[in-house]
Every structure is written in C-alpha cells, then in structure tokens.
C-alpha cells in the first residue's frame, strides 16, 4: 500500500494557511497564527504552538506536516563558507551555500534539483534536470540555515541576504519561487525587504517580465559573453531568449535607485577575456543602469575551459570602469568544498 504523504505547511501563503484552518473547521484567524509560528517563530513541531487549542493541533498533525527537515550533511570551507545537503522528494539531493561576511550572511538557495539550461560551463547544468522544488522545499533551506548551535557552539550569523543562485534556473520554476518571495517579504511572513533578495537568471522570458513587474527584488542576469554566436554555443538558452531581447526588456525598468541590476560574467582564458569582448559588452549594456560582476571560473570535470589570469580580469574591469560602467571582481568563496559559482551538483 502506497504511503500517503501529508501536505507541508511551510511554503504556504497566508491565504492557503487560512484555507487550512477553515478546512479544519477552525476560525480563519488560526491561519494567521500558523503563519506566525511557521515563519516568525520558526516552529518545528505543532506542540510549540501554544495559542492553538489541543484539538486543533491534533487535527493539524493528523492532516498536515510542518515540513521542516534538517540538512543531511554539511561541508565547511577554509574561508567559513558552509555547503549544506538537503534531501527532497523523488530521492534527489540539493545543495545550499551559507556565505558569512563580517556582520552579513548570505544563503545561496536552490530552486530545482538539476537544471534544464544545460550551460556548458556549469556543473548543475551538466547533470541535467531532475525536478522542480516546491515552495516548501525552498523555504526549508531558508528556515533551516544556519542551524541552531549545539551546546558550547557559537551561534552563526543569521541570514541577512538571499540569492537564488544555487541549483536550477529560478524562472523555470517561477510559480514556486514567486511564492517564496511573497513569504519572505510579507508582513505575515519573514517581513524582509525585497532588497535583501536577488534572483539570478539566464533571462527566461516572459517570466523575467513577471518578476520585474510583480516584485522589487534585485535581478542578476547570466551574460558571460556578449558574442551571441559564442553565447549560444555555451548557453543553449540564448536561442530561445537572446541576450539582446533580455537587455531590451530590462531597459524599460528603473535600476537607478534602490533596485539593482547585475550582469554576471564568468571569465575564461582566451575565450571572452579580451578588449574586443569588453567592447561588445559595453555595446550590449548601452544606457541600461547596471553593475557587472566579473567571476573567476571554477574548473569542473569534463569542461575544457580555463580561468583567465588576474591581470586579464583587472584589465577587463578597468576598461568597463573607464566607460562609466561599474564593474567589480567577485571574491571566490567555497571553492575547496565545491561550493563556488557553477560547482553545485548532486
């Protein structure tokens, strides 16, 4: 007999939680209490919910599960970065990366197991697509990291920022990612400013337009080369979502104030690291207000690409700066535990 899996409460919106309460013949306000326990107080059991009656908690436990599961493994880098492994439905495993930096802590969260985009240079893309994560599986990563300290341990810095830059293309699983953004930013949820959240994408249209219209989160576009022929050979998404069309869409939005647009640019030796490529990037950007993050390539098995030199990265950055474009070289974190950009694969 097939085991019945109870629906998970984390990952539900306030409307959905109120619907749960009404199905259990409870007052609608119990849905708001559930939201406070799940997101504000991060309860892991129904027993913690002291302002909900015993009868109602018993009904909830019979019909639902909270949905919190601890990481099944953790790897710690010499630079303080921690990579967490989570088990998800279907027997798959996904990874999240906790990146501390002084009084800040960023979680690089996964939205899929694997990825459909098949970018040549990315370990996640090369493993293929396995499954979309549910809003519950995405929220579990956020609520479970950093874990509570064990006795005698110093507590880790609580999360201050979130980047959808882990496994998967967030806009390929937009419905679930959007639910998570709503939970993160709602007053009944975690009440975060959307400026604490960045969504990274190859530029999947029309979901990118929905993200821009319906949220105020930061956006990061994976460009990596402005040479369209070269980009299509390395990023198959270029054929369906040309980077020129992506930039045209972005040009219709205001990124000159608090909302930030970043262009991600991994640099490979002898491939996209010369002045000609920098000039193509300047032309692509045009008058769009953005910053460029230059990223060191992290070698992965089966990929015949090499990192470019530090000198090339500096030259490229300085050239962009001279053209009035803010460009920075992103610090590499977690490479020794295969947690750096493009290395996540399980």
């Amino acid at each position: 007999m097939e085991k019945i899996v109870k629906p998970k409460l984390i990952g539900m919106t306030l409307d959905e939680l109120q619907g749960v309460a009404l199905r259990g013949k409870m007052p609608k306000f119990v849905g708001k209490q559930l939201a406070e326990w799940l997101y504000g107080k991060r309860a892991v059991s129904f027993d913690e919910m002291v302002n909900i009656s015993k009868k109602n908690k018993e009904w909830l436990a019979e019909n639902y599960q909270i949905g919190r599961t601890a990481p099944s493994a953790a790897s710690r880098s010499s630079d303080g970065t921690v990579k967490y492994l989570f088990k998800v439905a279907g027997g798959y495993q996904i990874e999240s990366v906790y990146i501390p930096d002084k009084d800040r802590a960023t979680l690089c969260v996964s939205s899929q197991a694997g990825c459909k985009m098949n970018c040549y240079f990315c370990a996640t893309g090369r493993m293929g697509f396995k499954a979309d994560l549910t809003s519950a599986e995405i929220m579990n990563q956020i609520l479970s990291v950093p874990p509570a300290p064990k006795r005698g341990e110093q507590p880790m810095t609580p999360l201050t920022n979130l980047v959808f830059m882990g496994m998967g293309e967030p806009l390929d699983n937009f419905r679930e990612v959007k639910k998570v953004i709503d939970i993160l930013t709602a007053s009944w949820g975690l009440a975060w400013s959307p400026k604490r959240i960045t969504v990274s994408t190859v530029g999947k249209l029309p979901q990118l337009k929905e993200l821009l219209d319906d949220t105020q989160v930061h956006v990061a576009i994976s460009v990596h080369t402005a040479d369209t022929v070269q980009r299509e050979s390395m990023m198959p998404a270029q054929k369906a979502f040309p980077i020129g069309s992506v930039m045209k869409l972005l040009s219709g939005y205001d990124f000159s104030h608090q909302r930030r647009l970043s262009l991600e640019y991994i640099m490979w030796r002898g491939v996209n690291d010369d002045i000609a490529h920098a000039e193509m990037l300047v032309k692509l950007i045009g008058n769009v207000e953005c910053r460029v993050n230059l990223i060191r390539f992290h070698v992965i098995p089966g990929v015949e690409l090499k990192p470019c030199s530090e000198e090339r990265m500096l030259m490229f950055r300085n050239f962009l700066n001279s053209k009035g474009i803010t460009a920075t070289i992103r610090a590499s974190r977690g490479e020794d535990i295969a947690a750096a950009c493009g290395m996540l694969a399980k």
Side-chain angles (χ1 to χ4, degrees), residues 10 16 35 51 69 77 83 130 145 158 193 218 234 240 258 294 297 304 310-311 320 336 346:
I10 62 167
E16 290 172 324
N51 61 347
T69 56
S77 167
K83 181 171 70 172
K130 308 300 180 186
V145 176
S193 163
H218 298 315
M234 304 177 82
Q258 289 190 332
L294 303 177
F297 174 60
E304 295 181 358
E310 183 75 15
E311 291 75 18
L320 294 177
D336 56 336
K346 272 296 168 190

Side-chain angles (χ1 to χ4, degrees), residues 105-180:
T106 299
L107 184 67
C108 183
V109 69
S110 292
S111 54
Q112 295 177 314
C115 185
K116 295 178 187 174
M117 297 303 107
N118 195 28
C119 296
Y120 173 68
F121 47 84
C122 176
T124 311
R126 293 176 69 80
M127 70 181 275
F129 175 73
K130 308 300 180 186
D132 284 326
L133 300 188
T134 64
S135 57
E137 289 167 336
I138 299 171
M139 280 305 304
N140 183 58
Q141 299 169 66
I142 299 164
L143 296 173
S144 300
V145 176
K150 296 176 183 176
R151 182 172 294 181
E153 285 185 344
Q154 283 289 103
M156 297 165 70
T157 303
L159 297 183
T160 60
N161 297 83
L162 187 79
V163 292
F164 283 91
M165 294 184 184
M167 301 174 73
E169 162 56 57
L171 299 191
D172 195 44
N173 188 20
F174 182 66
R175 186 173 69 89
E176 300 300 298
V177 168
K178 175 63 166 54
K179 278 181 71 173
V180 170

